[in-house]
Amino acid sequence: MQRMTGLLIGAVFGAVFVVVNAHAPLNGAVATFLRVAACLAAAAVAAMWFTAARGRRAGEGGGGPMFGRGYLAVVAAEVLLLFGGLRVLAAWERPVQANVAWIAVVVGVHFVALAPIWRTWDIAVPGALLAGLGVAGLVMTGTAAIAWVPFVSGVLSGVTLLAGAVAAGWRAVASAARTAA
């Protein structure tokens, strides 16, 4: 259940990435489609979470503490890096588009750092992708492609989180259904 909760959190943040960053220079219809699709994907993960919660038998163990000290240390570092980095970007007078790129870098590194703590390496891949999309956005802030930074570092990061959460949630629900049968 803890893993499903982690997937739900990732899906919600993925949807927020898409909803907040799907705007011009994207076509209005494309932006609206992306927002709706992101919300539907997050709702699908929420439905999988409820399915998993309903199917969980009383007394089942939840495994090790997913949100223990290691998690708290990573989140504390994430908060410091996130807000400290945003202040540094502002002090350096970087374009506002750099903010979403920095957020993607920090969130990506957060997943990579959690992989060994949670002993689940499948989150390192989306984490590396998010960090890479963030770095790409930071580089783009110094180019003529600056208007596309929210799409690259925001929308694509959100899609990465959502795709990972939907896929992992689907595998978990399907595995639980096979086990119960």
Tab-separated table of all heavy atoms in Angstrom, residues 78-104 106 138:
chain	number	residue	atom	x	y	z
A	78	GLU	N	15.774	17.996	-0.516
A	78	GLU	CA	15.042	18.463	-1.692
A	78	GLU	C	14.474	19.862	-1.462
A	78	GLU	O	14.578	20.735	-2.325
A	78	GLU	CB	13.923	17.484	-2.015
A	78	GLU	CG	13.074	17.869	-3.197
A	78	GLU	CD	11.933	16.888	-3.443
A	78	GLU	OE1	11.505	16.185	-2.518
A	78	GLU	OE2	11.471	16.856	-4.596
A	79	VAL	N	13.879	20.079	-0.310
A	79	VAL	CA	13.302	21.395	0.001
A	79	VAL	C	14.396	22.461	0.027
A	79	VAL	O	14.230	23.547	-0.547
A	79	VAL	CB	12.523	21.345	1.333
A	79	VAL	CG1	12.157	22.731	1.822
A	79	VAL	CG2	11.272	20.476	1.190
A	80	LEU	N	15.524	22.150	0.654
A	80	LEU	CA	16.632	23.115	0.707
A	80	LEU	C	17.162	23.422	-0.691
A	80	LEU	O	17.371	24.593	-1.035
A	80	LEU	CB	17.754	22.583	1.594
A	80	LEU	CG	17.458	22.537	3.087
A	80	LEU	CD1	18.582	21.826	3.831
A	80	LEU	CD2	17.245	23.940	3.639
A	81	LEU	N	17.380	22.381	-1.477
A	81	LEU	CA	17.876	22.590	-2.845
A	81	LEU	C	16.865	23.337	-3.699
A	81	LEU	O	17.233	24.224	-4.474
A	81	LEU	CB	18.204	21.254	-3.504
A	81	LEU	CG	19.473	20.573	-3.049
A	81	LEU	CD1	19.545	19.149	-3.603
A	81	LEU	CD2	20.686	21.371	-3.483
A	82	LEU	N	15.610	22.972	-3.549
A	82	LEU	CA	14.565	23.594	-4.363
A	82	LEU	C	14.494	25.099	-4.102
A	82	LEU	O	14.680	25.912	-5.001
A	82	LEU	CB	13.221	22.929	-4.085
A	82	LEU	CG	12.049	23.456	-4.888
A	82	LEU	CD1	12.233	23.171	-6.357
A	82	LEU	CD2	10.769	22.818	-4.388
A	83	PHE	N	14.241	25.457	-2.852
A	83	PHE	CA	14.051	26.880	-2.543
A	83	PHE	C	15.359	27.660	-2.565
A	83	PHE	O	15.381	28.813	-3.006
A	83	PHE	CB	13.306	27.041	-1.221
A	83	PHE	CG	11.880	26.576	-1.334
A	83	PHE	CD1	11.482	25.383	-0.755
A	83	PHE	CD2	10.953	27.298	-2.070
A	83	PHE	CE1	10.176	24.930	-0.881
A	83	PHE	CE2	9.649	26.860	-2.215
A	83	PHE	CZ	9.257	25.668	-1.612
A	84	GLY	N	16.444	27.027	-2.158
A	84	GLY	CA	17.746	27.683	-2.256
A	84	GLY	C	18.120	27.945	-3.704
A	84	GLY	O	18.584	29.036	-4.060
A	85	GLY	N	17.891	26.938	-4.561
A	85	GLY	CA	18.201	27.096	-5.983
A	85	GLY	C	17.357	28.157	-6.661
A	85	GLY	O	17.859	28.919	-7.493
A	86	LEU	N	16.076	28.212	-6.289
A	86	LEU	CA	15.212	29.253	-6.873
A	86	LEU	C	15.688	30.644	-6.475
A	86	LEU	O	15.657	31.575	-7.288
A	86	LEU	CB	13.760	29.035	-6.454
A	86	LEU	CG	13.083	27.788	-7.037
A	86	LEU	CD1	11.695	27.606	-6.442
A	86	LEU	CD2	13.035	27.842	-8.555
A	87	ARG	N	16.152	30.780	-5.244
A	87	ARG	CA	16.680	32.088	-4.801
A	87	ARG	C	17.968	32.436	-5.551
A	87	ARG	O	18.180	33.581	-5.915
A	87	ARG	CB	16.888	32.100	-3.298
A	87	ARG	CG	15.554	32.063	-2.537
A	87	ARG	CD	15.722	32.223	-1.053
A	87	ARG	NE	16.325	33.474	-0.661
A	87	ARG	CZ	15.653	34.579	-0.367
A	87	ARG	NH1	14.338	34.593	-0.458
A	87	ARG	NH2	16.283	35.668	0.027
A	88	VAL	N	18.806	31.440	-5.771
A	88	VAL	CA	20.050	31.672	-6.523
A	88	VAL	C	19.717	32.077	-7.961
A	88	VAL	O	20.304	33.025	-8.498
A	88	VAL	CB	20.957	30.420	-6.488
A	88	VAL	CG1	22.085	30.528	-7.505
A	88	VAL	CG2	21.517	30.204	-5.092
A	89	LEU	N	18.782	31.391	-8.585
A	89	LEU	CA	18.389	31.748	-9.957
A	89	LEU	C	17.871	33.185	-10.019
A	89	LEU	O	18.179	33.920	-10.957
A	89	LEU	CB	17.328	30.775	-10.483
A	89	LEU	CG	17.810	29.350	-10.774
A	89	LEU	CD1	16.626	28.438	-11.081
A	89	LEU	CD2	18.820	29.330	-11.907
A	90	ALA	N	17.087	33.573	-9.018
A	90	ALA	CA	16.578	34.955	-8.979
A	90	ALA	C	17.726	35.946	-8.773
A	90	ALA	O	17.761	36.995	-9.426
A	90	ALA	CB	15.538	35.103	-7.871
A	91	ALA	N	18.663	35.616	-7.894
A	91	ALA	CA	19.806	36.503	-7.650
A	91	ALA	C	20.666	36.656	-8.901
A	91	ALA	O	21.230	37.724	-9.146
A	91	ALA	CB	20.648	35.970	-6.488
A	92	TRP	N	20.760	35.589	-9.679
A	92	TRP	CA	21.520	35.627	-10.927
A	92	TRP	C	20.714	36.230	-12.064
A	92	TRP	O	21.194	36.290	-13.204
A	92	TRP	CB	21.982	34.237	-11.328
A	92	TRP	CG	23.088	33.668	-10.492
A	92	TRP	CD1	23.869	34.321	-9.597
A	92	TRP	CD2	23.513	32.310	-10.489
A	92	TRP	NE1	24.774	33.454	-9.037
A	92	TRP	CE2	24.574	32.205	-9.562
A	92	TRP	CE3	23.106	31.174	-11.171
A	92	TRP	CZ2	25.228	31.009	-9.317
A	92	TRP	CZ3	23.760	29.979	-10.919
A	92	TRP	CH2	24.807	29.903	-10.004
A	93	GLU	N	19.483	36.631	-11.767
A	93	GLU	CA	18.576	37.229	-12.744
A	93	GLU	C	18.358	36.333	-13.966
A	93	GLU	O	18.280	36.803	-15.103
A	93	GLU	CB	19.061	38.622	-13.150
A	93	GLU	CG	19.101	39.580	-11.977
A	93	GLU	CD	19.601	40.964	-12.327
A	93	GLU	OE1	19.984	41.212	-13.494
A	93	GLU	OE2	19.619	41.809	-11.422
A	94	ARG	N	18.220	35.032	-13.680
A	94	ARG	CA	17.912	34.075	-14.745
A	94	ARG	C	16.444	34.239	-15.125
A	94	ARG	O	15.620	34.633	-14.305
A	94	ARG	CB	18.177	32.637	-14.280
A	94	ARG	CG	19.631	32.350	-13.947
A	94	ARG	CD	20.585	32.586	-15.098
A	94	ARG	NE	20.191	31.794	-16.260
A	94	ARG	CZ	20.426	32.130	-17.520
A	94	ARG	NH1	21.064	33.244	-17.816
A	94	ARG	NH2	20.024	31.366	-18.495
A	95	PRO	N	16.073	33.926	-16.350
A	95	PRO	CA	14.671	34.044	-16.772
A	95	PRO	C	13.765	33.161	-15.904
A	95	PRO	O	14.186	32.120	-15.409
A	95	PRO	CB	14.682	33.540	-18.219
A	95	PRO	CG	16.101	33.524	-18.643
A	95	PRO	CD	16.937	33.435	-17.415
A	96	VAL	N	12.539	33.580	-15.742
A	96	VAL	CA	11.587	32.858	-14.899
A	96	VAL	C	11.392	31.416	-15.375
A	96	VAL	O	11.087	30.534	-14.575
A	96	VAL	CB	10.253	33.630	-14.806
A	96	VAL	CG1	9.502	33.588	-16.126
A	96	VAL	CG2	9.400	33.118	-13.673
A	97	GLN	N	11.591	31.144	-16.654
A	97	GLN	CA	11.458	29.794	-17.191
A	97	GLN	C	12.471	28.833	-16.565
A	97	GLN	O	12.260	27.623	-16.557
A	97	GLN	CB	11.615	29.784	-18.715
A	97	GLN	CG	10.506	30.477	-19.459
A	97	GLN	CD	10.763	31.966	-19.649
A	97	GLN	OE1	11.553	32.591	-18.945
A	97	GLN	NE2	10.078	32.539	-20.619
A	98	ALA	N	13.561	29.372	-16.039
A	98	ALA	CA	14.568	28.519	-15.405
A	98	ALA	C	14.009	27.849	-14.151
A	98	ALA	O	14.495	26.789	-13.744
A	98	ALA	CB	15.815	29.332	-15.058
A	99	ASN	N	12.984	28.446	-13.539
A	99	ASN	CA	12.429	27.884	-12.308
A	99	ASN	C	11.876	26.481	-12.511
A	99	ASN	O	12.155	25.578	-11.726
A	99	ASN	CB	11.359	28.801	-11.729
A	99	ASN	CG	11.922	30.117	-11.237
A	99	ASN	OD1	13.136	30.277	-11.103
A	99	ASN	ND2	11.059	31.068	-10.995
A	100	VAL	N	11.070	26.283	-13.553
A	100	VAL	CA	10.502	24.953	-13.785
A	100	VAL	C	11.608	23.953	-14.126
A	100	VAL	O	11.531	22.788	-13.739
A	100	VAL	CB	9.388	24.965	-14.847
A	100	VAL	CG1	9.919	25.236	-16.242
A	100	VAL	CG2	8.620	23.644	-14.832
A	101	ALA	N	12.616	24.409	-14.821
A	101	ALA	CA	13.735	23.529	-15.146
A	101	ALA	C	14.462	23.100	-13.868
A	101	ALA	O	14.787	21.913	-13.698
A	101	ALA	CB	14.692	24.231	-16.111
A	102	TRP	N	14.692	24.039	-12.963
A	102	TRP	CA	15.355	23.713	-11.701
A	102	TRP	C	14.500	22.746	-10.877
A	102	TRP	O	15.006	21.791	-10.298
A	102	TRP	CB	15.661	24.980	-10.900
A	102	TRP	CG	16.301	24.663	-9.588
A	102	TRP	CD1	15.767	24.826	-8.348
A	102	TRP	CD2	17.597	24.087	-9.389
A	102	TRP	NE1	16.648	24.391	-7.396
A	102	TRP	CE2	17.781	23.937	-8.005
A	102	TRP	CE3	18.614	23.681	-10.239
A	102	TRP	CZ2	18.944	23.390	-7.456
A	102	TRP	CZ3	19.771	23.141	-9.694
A	102	TRP	CH2	19.920	23.003	-8.322
A	103	ILE	N	13.203	22.976	-10.845
A	103	ILE	CA	12.304	22.088	-10.100
A	103	ILE	C	12.402	20.672	-10.659
A	103	ILE	O	12.475	19.693	-9.901
A	103	ILE	CB	10.853	22.623	-10.136
A	103	ILE	CG1	10.766	23.924	-9.330
A	103	ILE	CG2	9.864	21.581	-9.615
A	103	ILE	CD1	9.474	24.708	-9.549
A	104	ALA	N	12.430	20.532	-11.982
A	104	ALA	CA	12.544	19.204	-12.596
A	104	ALA	C	13.864	18.532	-12.223
A	104	ALA	O	13.888	17.328	-11.936
A	104	ALA	CB	12.398	19.312	-14.117
A	106	VAL	N	15.669	19.016	-9.467
A	106	VAL	CA	15.626	18.625	-8.050
A	106	VAL	C	14.700	17.425	-7.827
A	106	VAL	O	15.049	16.483	-7.112
A	106	VAL	CB	15.228	19.822	-7.158
A	106	VAL	CG1	15.013	19.391	-5.721
A	106	VAL	CG2	16.292	20.912	-7.239
A	138	LEU	N	17.308	24.152	-18.426
A	138	LEU	CA	18.254	25.177	-17.958
A	138	LEU	C	19.144	25.647	-19.102
A	138	LEU	O	19.399	26.846	-19.247
A	138	LEU	CB	19.100	24.635	-16.805
A	138	LEU	CG	18.387	24.493	-15.466
A	138	LEU	CD1	19.267	23.762	-14.451
A	138	LEU	CD2	17.973	25.857	-14.920
